[in-house]
Amino acid sequence: MKIGILGGGQLARMMAASGIPLGMEFVFVDPAADACAGAYGHLLTAEWDQAPSLEDLRGCDRISCDFENVPAEVLDALVEIAPVRPGPNAFAAAQDRLTEKRLFQRLDIPVPPFAEVSSRADLLEAIDAIGLPAVLKTRRFGYDGKGQAVLRSKEDLEPAWRALGGRDLILEGWIDFHHECAITAVRGADGSIVCYPLSWTVHADGILRLALAPAPVAPKLESRAHELVGRLLSELDYIGCLTLELFATDQGLVANEFAPRVHNSAHWTIDGSVTSQFENHLRAVCDLPLGNTAMRGQALMLNWIGQVPPMEDFLRVPGLRWHDYGKSARPGRKVGHATLVAEDRRDLEAGLVGIVDLVDDQTASLLKGEMTPLG
Ligand code: AMP
């Protein structure tokens, strides 16, 4: 099977790393000549919406994406070449926060209160209805906390309005969550669905820093997350891997957004699960049976942001696995991750004692916040 992937970043790279043992070949389309997936297949250096490069995807048996902002019309055109999985409908829904929130509402998936904002008058009206604090977000192209501003008082309105471009915005009520979490699930072409255990996610400055799985939650919450993501997958007639990001509140789970692709919050599945999210995504895309999502114990993933730390000392920690994406260092950029896998929570905490002294201060303090015995 030859798989064409739009986007050649770390997600494409990890997909390929898991697909090559299954005999798959990969072609990536990316504007960057040094796109890091290139080490694992043929890289077409071109804007992914330029016709000649997309024509080069002829010969692929399947087409998939490593990011969600591929214009839906580009995907629609590619359907002529090979099955595009997940389908363009999932991208259209995920690319616009307003469409996405309305879809959640229709499926009875709880969402923060929200309102469309296209003018200053809309914004004032939305604040009257929703109250402060609230989050003003661009409807499109936001990621890792970019394209949004928290409004705490009326003084914040004007700067936020201007910073976000003053059009095509959405205002969301502030959710007082006690934790953030994410559920990753995979739906096969035959409609079968497998779910990974819920991940506990920790962000700083809008960027995911840690993920812990299984999340230490009651089984009822876990099954609720499975039910919600299942509803979304079935409604979209989805094929592939999808992650639904959720806020855990005292009133239950509230949906933030979904990603129609493999997701950072489930990178721990490479080392912590029988079958990784990347392999299961490809299995679904290629009509193969889905793999076992059971965990091999407890897993904690640490993201490397900006630059990869020197790995030698980390490699001394038993159960630690290292993933360098081969990207150049740049502030705020996701350049790698490490996963610690242990049989139980006690062993995981024991392993982390060795790690806390090696990581930067911010990561250490986030870790201490999550793992009480380290604090
Ligand atoms: P997003 O880009 O929508 O995933 O937002 C990035 C981060 O901002 C989330 O992971 C949350 O930590 C925070 N955030 C976004 N929306 C809200 C909200 N309505 N209430 C509280 N925090 C939010």
Side-chain angles (χ1 to χ4, degrees):
M1 280 263 187
K2 194 167 173 185
I3 321 288
I5 302 201
L6 299 186
Q10 67 267 20
L11 300 181
R13 177 179 164 114
M14 289 186 273
M15 265 188 249
S18 72
I20 288 168
L22 299 179
M24 296 172 185
E25 282 176 68
F26 292 85
V27 180
F28 311 100
V29 183
D30 198 287
D34 62 348
C36 69
Y40 285 78
H42 181 55
L43 177 64
L44 298 168
T45 308
E47 294 297 330
W48 35 260
D49 58 352
Q50 276 170 10
S53 70
L54 300 183
E55 194 56 30
D56 285 339
L57 291 173
R58 261 188 212 288
C60 287
D61 302 294
R62 298 284 187 277
I63 293 169
S64 197
C65 297
D66 97 329
F67 71 123
E68 62 262 42
N69 283 322
V70 183
E73 54 273 22
V74 170
L75 294 172
D76 281 335
L78 287 173
V79 169
E80 302 290 317
I81 294 177
V84 175
R85 294 177 167 176
N89 65 324
F91 287 83
Q95 284 170 357
D96 181 341
R97 290 186 192 274
L98 190 64
T99 314
E100 185 183 31
K101 290 268 173 349
R102 287 182 176 149
L103 171 67
F104 287 150
Q105 258 184 342
R106 193 152 51 77
L107 298 176
D108 223 3
I109 297 174
V111 285
F114 67 92
E116 180 177 0
V117 172
S118 308
S119 64
R120 283 188 169 82
D122 284 351
L123 180 57
L124 292 175
E125 204 177 298
I127 286 169
D128 277 346
I130 292 171
L132 293 176
V135 194
L136 189 63
K137 300 182 179 179
T138 53
R139 282 172 55 182
R140 293 176 170 272
F141 303 118
Y143 71 98
D144 285 348
K146 294 187 176 68
Q148 56 181 275
V150 179
L151 309 181
R152 295 181 201 284
S153 70
K154 293 234 166 161
E155 281 73 66
D156 294 335
L157 304 197
E158 197 50 37
W161 174 259
R162 269 186 271 119
L164 298 179
R167 54 200 280 261
D168 297 332
L169 305 176
I170 180 173
L171 186 76
E172 288 179 23
W174 183 258
I175 298 296
D176 202 12
F177 55 80
H178 54 76
H179 223 291
E180 289 185 81
C181 49
I183 189 80
T184 296
V186 187
R187 185 169 180 271
D190 61 356
S192 56
I193 293 177
V194 294
C195 278
Y196 289 95
L198 192 67
S199 300
W200 228 208
T201 52
V202 181
H203 298 79
D205 306 321
I207 302 182
L208 182 73
R209 302 299 295 263
L210 318 174
L212 179 70
V217 296
K220 233 174 74 184
L221 198 80
E222 177 100 31
S223 53
R224 170 78 171 152
H226 289 198
E227 182 203 324
L228 297 179
V229 76
R231 253 183 244 172
L232 187 59
L233 288 168
S234 301
E235 170 68 17
L236 294 170
D237 198 16
Y238 194 90
I239 301 175
C241 182
L242 176 148
T243 288
L244 176 60
E245 292 184 44
L246 297 155
F247 300 124
T249 75
D250 291 341
Q251 287 73 45
L253 295 173
V254 176
N256 178 23
E257 61 181 357
F258 79 92
R261 53 168 170 78
V262 288
H263 194 260
N264 195 174
S265 63
H267 284 2
W268 55 265
T269 59
I270 300 175
D271 307 301
S273 300
V274 176
T275 317
S276 75
Q277 61 162 345
F278 300 97
E279 181 174 332
N280 258 336
H281 177 72
L282 292 169
R283 287 188 187 211
V285 164
C286 297
D287 301 271
L288 296 168
L290 301 183
N292 187 347
T293 54
M295 290 196 68
R296 300 175 190 275
Q298 303 250 335
L300 182 123
M301 184 217 62
L302 294 172
N303 257 356
W304 303 137
I305 310 290
Q307 59 181 7
V308 178
M311 76 177 165
E312 216 173 299
D313 287 336
F314 285 94
L315 295 186
R316 291 184 219 287
V317 178
L320 184 127
R321 310 279 304 176
W322 196 257
H323 300 267
D324 185 326
Y325 305 151
K327 291 163 77 171
S328 51
R330 191 193 298 160
R333 194 179 205 199
K334 290 175 177 171
V335 287
H337 74 269
T339 309
L340 183 64
V341 181
E343 238 168 71
D344 53 33
R345 178 90 180 191
R346 238 185 47 190
D347 282 356
L348 192 73
E349 279 161 3
L352 280 173
V353 170
I355 290 179
V356 165
D357 292 336
L358 302 175
V359 294
D360 59 274
D361 291 349
Q362 190 182 31
T363 306
S365 105
L366 294 172
L367 268 175
K368 287 176 184 167
E370 284 312 300
M371 314 293 276
T372 330
L374 301 175

